[in-house]
Amino acid sequence: MTSFPEAARAELANAQLRTNLRRATETIRAKRARAVAELPDWEELREAGRAIKRQVLGNLDSYLVEFESALQAAGGRVHWARDAAEANAVVVEVARRHGADEVVKVKSLTTDEIELNEALAAAGIHALETDFAELILQLDGDWSSHILVPAIHRNRSEIRDLFARTIAPGISSNEPAALAEASRLYLRERFLEARVGVSGANFGIAETGTICVVESEGNGRMCTTLPPVLVSILGIEKLLPRFADLEVFLQLLPRSSTGERMNPYTSLWTGVTDGDGPQELHVVLLDNGRTRVLADTVGRQALHCIRCSACLNVCPVYSRTGGHAYGSIYPGPIGAILTPQLRGIDETASLPFASSLCGACYEVCPVKIDIPQVLLHLRAKVVDADGRSPKRALMHLAAWVFASPRRYVLAQRLAVLFTRPLARAGRLQKLPPPLSAWTRARDLKAPARTTFRTWWAGRR
Ligand code: SF4
């Protein structure tokens, strides 16, 4: 995996991307702030969300079994998947058994995480993305850069040009209504012909075996009701104990994600019902590293995430680099703490450092995940894992210098002596390695000629 600084450098060079990102994140941020300010009990709701998620993760084994029994009693079938390969194999088997050479899909990060589309393609089955933004990315061979607005890095004219080349030759308008109509015309027939629908899920209810998907376009409801067979893939952390718990999350999620009071479409289904909706329902309970995350008492907070994306929109790092720099379908602050834990720290060591630790993500998170705390916890793991880390050596050196006033004064004098000749107009613009890592992207104020200690001694 390309390291974050390397990937970010390429993204930062794209001025159009930065403009698109700035506009989009500012708009969503302002909408969210207005929607949240309307609720006098917002902080209590956040606290309730955190408490429910803690309860789930503390008793996950029993909630999973409860969910399985309730769903089977309602006519659904549960599959347990340890990893991506097992989950993908279930979907391929179901699609093959029903002779489907195409499945229609609801936007789902979990299916992106397990690379379901690629697995289906390898089996000769096309996975058609039906969410507007996901369709754009699929048509262009691109991938998501935002949890909620996957094509946030694209503007309307770029989308119009793409549609003209692919599904809507002759389209000339870049108005949202015209673009939506073009995708609607393209998708409608495919919905009606599909034999198998595939979805993720926002929540699964242990008490009743119910699955819940929230969305804005209605494509999700079509995928989950029109095809006679439905496969839903549910990360095991998505469970809620009781149906009544939805009351908390269906307030927290829309206000935090799209800045709306409620989601335009909230679909709930429990097993199968004669003559109504899919007649065969499969639910895949996916681990794929989640039990490993659960074992870490600090890092497990990342499993509370309800994928609202509020932390992305306030993050000063994400709003400049965009999502691709994070090298995962989970970008921004949540990606910086979730991806290293799911994939392993060796492969993703730079991600916990992709943050200024400003704490804005913690302030907006609807389930109060202390993202800065987890970032620091993971940084410590990265440093501990690398016995020869230059950072570790630097910290030891700093501790040694700070432990003695004499060494501290000497270090100050040496810093002034060696850096002043490099200063231009009071700023250091180019330092030798390893300090060049800092000055490659920004300058640094040169140390003052007179230190505080010298000045103080002179006064006395
Ligand atoms: S970490 Fe919190 S703010 Fe970020 S996406 Fe998850 S729930 Fe939303």
Side-chain angles (χ1 to χ4, degrees):
M1 181 175 160
T2 313
S3 76
F4 181 84
E6 224 176 299
R9 198 165 299 127
E11 301 296 318
L12 287 168
N14 183 342
Q16 180 67 59
L17 170 79
R18 291 211 311 275
T19 310
N20 296 352
L21 276 173
R22 197 189 62 246
R23 277 203 199 119
T25 52
E26 278 175 7
T27 309
I28 307 174
R29 224 163 39 217
K31 259 184 96 180
R32 177 207 161 268
R34 279 197 300 274
V36 163
E38 286 178 355
L39 289 188
D41 60 348
W42 181 251
E43 285 309 314
E44 285 83 354
L45 273 172
R46 289 178 76 206
E47 200 47 63
R50 170 158 76 172
I52 294 168
K53 282 290 184 179
R54 274 193 180 160
Q55 189 188 349
V56 170
L57 294 184
N59 303 281
L60 194 55
D61 50 350
S62 49
Y63 285 130
L64 284 166
V65 173
E66 189 184 345
F67 176 82
E68 181 184 38
S69 335
L71 183 68
Q72 282 174 345
R77 178 154 176 226
V78 173
H79 306 258
W80 297 81
R82 272 171 295 207
D83 53 26
E86 287 188 2
N88 290 335
V90 172
V91 188
V92 169
E93 188 277 320
V94 171
R96 276 199 176 134
R97 190 152 40 80
H98 289 276
D101 54 10
E102 179 169 274
V103 300
V104 286
K105 267 190 76 203
V106 191
K107 170 179 175 296
S108 151
L109 283 165
T110 313
T111 60
D112 292 345
E113 175 192 320
I114 60 175
E115 299 184 349
L116 174 65
N117 290 10
E118 291 76 1
L120 285 167
I125 301 160
H126 180 239
L128 177 68
E129 295 290 352
T130 62
D131 171 84
F132 184 67
E134 289 286 352
L135 175 66
I136 292 165
L137 300 180
Q138 186 171 53
L139 289 171
D140 209 20
D142 196 358
W143 57 291
S144 168
S145 66
H146 189 279
I147 290 177
L148 187 75
V149 198
I152 197 169
H153 53 294
R154 297 302 181 89
N155 63 24
R156 284 196 266 144
S157 300
E158 290 174 302
I159 297 165
R160 189 260 328 272
D161 296 346
L162 171 67
F163 278 9
R165 289 200 307 275
T166 52
I167 59 171
I171 187 170
S172 56
S173 169
N174 68 358
E175 286 303 311
L179 299 172
E181 182 61 10
S183 72
R184 193 176 292 127
L185 290 173
Y186 173 69
L187 291 172
R188 190 57 56 103
E189 286 299 312
R190 319 278 285 267
F191 278 128
L192 293 170
E193 283 166 8
R195 292 185 202 171
V196 177
V198 176
S199 83
N202 293 90
F203 308 105
I205 313 295
E207 177 187 41
T208 54
T210 304
I211 301 276
C212 174
V213 164
V214 297
E215 37 117 13
S216 303
E217 298 173 14
N219 66 303
R221 185 162 293 171
M222 299 229 246
C223 285
T224 54
T225 51
L226 288 175
V229 180
L230 175 63
V231 189
S232 300
I233 298 169
L234 184 74
I236 54 174
E237 82 285 15
K238 298 274 181 72
L239 288 189
L240 299 179
R242 293 162 299 274
F243 197 84
D245 295 325
L246 281 174
E247 175 195 348
V248 172
F249 291 93
L250 293 183
Q251 292 187 76
L252 287 173
L253 182 54
R255 287 180 193 260
S256 299
S257 54
T258 47
E260 290 166 309
R261 293 179 182 134
M262 62 185 290
N263 288 96
Y265 293 87
T266 300
S267 301
L268 297 155
W269 62 98
T270 308
V272 292
T273 308
D274 267 352
D276 183 14
Q279 297 300 295
E280 190 176 313
L281 170 67
H282 299 262
V283 174
V284 182
L285 290 171
L286 176 74
D287 182 337
N288 207 29
R290 285 159 174 79
T291 43
R292 203 173 45 237
V293 182
L294 191 61
D296 183 327
T297 50
V298 178
R300 68 162 64 151
Q301 292 177 66
L303 297 179
H304 292 188
C305 178
I306 56 171
R307 314 278 191 264
C308 71
S309 79
C311 58
L312 277 65
N313 301 324
V314 295
C315 176
V317 177
Y318 173 86
S319 58
R320 281 155 187 82
T321 62
H324 289 171
Y326 293 79
S328 144
I329 44 106
Y330 299 114
I334 180 60
I337 61 169
L338 187 58
T339 309
Q341 297 194 79
L342 286 177
R343 283 201 202 161
I345 208 97
D346 297 344
E347 202 193 322
T348 55
S350 63
L351 283 180
F353 297 89
S355 166
S356 64
L357 297 179
C358 68
C361 46
Y362 181 32
E363 280 173 25
V364 296
C365 179
V367 283
K368 295 183 107 169
I369 301 174
D370 191 343
I371 296 176
Q373 184 197 24
V374 183
L375 285 168
L376 289 175
H377 173 68
L378 295 175
R379 286 181 188 188
K381 281 190 169 187
V382 173
V383 174
D384 284 347
D386 182 0
R388 291 169 304 140
S389 159
K391 283 194 193 81
R392 177 195 288 269
L394 216 59
M395 286 301 141
H396 279 309
L397 181 66
W400 181 75
V401 169
F402 291 152
S404 146
R406 276 185 47 236
R407 288 198 287 266
Y408 181 73
V409 170
L410 182 65
Q412 275 188 322
R413 287 204 188 122
L414 289 174
V416 172
L417 188 70
F418 285 108
T419 57
R420 288 293 313 177
L422 303 174
R424 300 280 173 274
R427 319 282 310 172
L428 295 167
Q429 289 168 350
K430 210 170 172 190
L431 286 171
L435 301 173
S436 54
W438 178 273
T439 51
R440 236 193 333 260
R442 48 185 107 61
D443 60 14
L444 185 68
K445 201 167 184 326
R449 245 181 243 286
T450 310
T451 66
F452 173 78
R453 281 166 185 265
T454 319
W455 173 81
W456 185 250
R459 270 174 61 95
R460 292 168 79 198

